[in-house]
Amino acid sequence: MLDLHRLKALHAVATYGSVGAAAEALMVTPSAISQQLAKLERETGAVLVERNGRGVKLTDAAGLLADHAEKILALVETAEADFEALRGAVVGRLSMAAFPTAARGIMPNALTLLKDRHPDLDLLVYEREPDRMVREVTRGEIDLAVVQDWVNRPIAIPDGLSRAALLEDVADVAVPADHPLADQREVALADLPGDQWIISSPGTVCHDFLMFLIRSSEKEPQVVCYADEYPSQMAMVAAGHGYALIPRLGRGAVPDEVRMVPILPRPIRRVYALWRTDAARRPAIRAAVEALRTACAPLALEPGAASQSTPV
């Protein structure tokens, strides 16, 4: 009889390419993964791993077994979801992840709701970047993720995942308090400055959106600082070093030296919940989506903002 835990270890090595990466994904030690593989070799009577320099590589037999393991693990997940649905109980372990501002602005209230409504639910939460979360949900490492996209960079949803819209979040331009734009009620996209921008690192969703936004006003953005955390960007603006595009979700306190000025048309980022479609029947998934929507309700877009948003 093949052991599910050992099949899961083999599948993780096949998916991530190394014992160390598999151990990180499964939150165990590399030694534990190696032990599971050794026991699986004894169970099957086949050589599954071979030394390859400082690492290992899977044999053809291991590749065949890993393919079957993927199907077996998916069937087990479906069976567990069906059984939970039959019982109708919101129980068991539920792992969730959110991008940083959602981890601050949405998850605390959502978790409070889930714990109050479903005390038998065992919750585990991670803070992650959106692209990583999509991969982790797809691979079954986490059950549900709160992800974001911007209108010029819609998130790619792989087959086998389902999603629910949670929120449309507005971003404003942060300028120093003594800047000419600081006293404006709103600023047109065409009037945004092209120089002295403080933005996220290249390759991130927020970086790509800001570059798109400024270029759409026929200016080439001149960057003076790359900072991935919005508090860091805000501190740079407060010191008079430039401007930043800061979403409202999870923004926190604005320094006295900074003014937040709305932009027309409104820059909008969209926030979603993602989960594996095979697990959709789990009452815990449905309860989590409901709690997230409830937590997002007070954060809804101001009236009329959607019709003034930056066009797709």
Side-chain angles (χ1 to χ4, degrees):
M1 178 75 67
L2 296 175
D3 183 271
L4 279 178
H5 295 291
R6 292 163 197 162
L7 289 177
K8 190 172 185 179
L10 175 65
H11 179 257
V13 174
T15 299
Y16 298 105
S18 72
V19 169
E24 182 180 357
L26 297 181
M27 292 183 289
V28 297
T29 65
S31 176
I33 295 291
S34 296
Q35 290 174 21
Q36 294 282 26
L37 294 178
K39 291 177 181 178
L40 191 57
E41 285 187 325
R42 291 196 293 271
E43 285 179 349
T44 59
V47 176
L48 301 178
V49 294
E50 297 175 341
R51 299 300 304 178
N52 183 31
R54 294 185 178 180
V56 299
K57 67 176 182 178
L58 297 182
T59 64
D60 291 343
L64 176 65
L65 189 56
D67 288 341
H68 285 294
E70 181 174 11
K71 298 171 185 175
I72 291 168
L73 293 171
L75 285 172
V76 170
E77 180 179 39
T78 301
E80 290 174 342
D82 286 344
F83 187 67
E84 284 188 26
L86 180 66
R87 293 173 60 197
V90 181
V91 296
R93 166 63 67 92
L94 183 72
S95 56
M96 305 169 66
F99 60 93
T101 51
R104 292 195 299 272
I106 298 174
M107 294 304 289
N109 288 340
L111 294 180
T112 298
L113 288 168
L114 280 170
K115 288 182 177 181
D116 288 346
R117 295 171 178 174
H118 310 290
D120 293 328
L121 189 60
D122 182 13
L123 296 168
L124 178 63
V125 180
Y126 302 91
E127 183 177 289
R128 292 282 196 264
E129 290 301 320
D131 290 344
R132 177 178 177 180
M133 285 188 285
V134 173
R135 295 193 299 270
E136 290 178 334
V137 173
T138 301
R139 293 168 176 170
E141 296 163 32
I142 56 177
D143 298 312
L144 184 147
V146 178
V147 301
Q148 62 162 331
D149 68 12
W150 295 82
V151 293
N152 71 309
R153 190 179 171 185
I155 193 168
I157 307 298
D159 292 340
L161 297 189
S162 297
R163 71 175 176 179
L166 298 177
L167 179 68
E168 289 190 332
D169 183 30
V170 179
D172 304 309
V173 61
V175 302
D178 59 357
H179 190 275
L181 293 176
D183 295 328
Q184 299 294 314
R185 292 185 58 189
E186 296 173 327
V187 59
L189 175 60
D191 294 332
L192 287 177
D195 60 347
Q196 293 185 296
W197 280 99
I198 300 157
I199 67 175
S200 301
S201 300
T204 61
V205 175
C206 295
H207 170 276
D208 293 349
F209 180 75
L210 179 58
M211 299 297 281
F212 161 81
L213 189 71
I214 303 303
R215 286 170 177 162
S216 67
S217 63
E218 300 184 351
K219 299 184 181 76
E220 183 60 26
Q222 301 300 311
V223 179
V224 297
C225 176
Y226 292 105
D228 291 328
E229 294 295 327
Y230 289 126
S232 300
Q233 294 184 16
M234 198 85 78
M236 295 295 289
V237 175
H241 296 302
Y243 328 103
L245 187 73
I246 310 289
R248 296 178 185 178
L249 176 63
R251 178 184 292 170
V254 177
D256 293 339
E257 301 85 359
V258 176
R259 297 290 183 271
M260 305 304 304
V261 184
I263 302 170
L264 284 177
R266 299 278 191 259
I268 302 296
R269 68 171 176 176
R270 299 167 296 198
V271 181
Y272 305 96
L274 287 182
W275 62 91
R276 290 182 300 285
T277 303
D278 287 344
R281 291 182 294 278
R282 283 190 66 191
I285 294 289
R286 297 197 298 270
V289 173
E290 181 182 351
L292 287 166
R293 283 177 163 160
T294 300
C296 287
L299 310 173
L301 212 59
E302 77 260 25
S307 63
Q308 301 173 23
S309 62
T310 301
V312 177

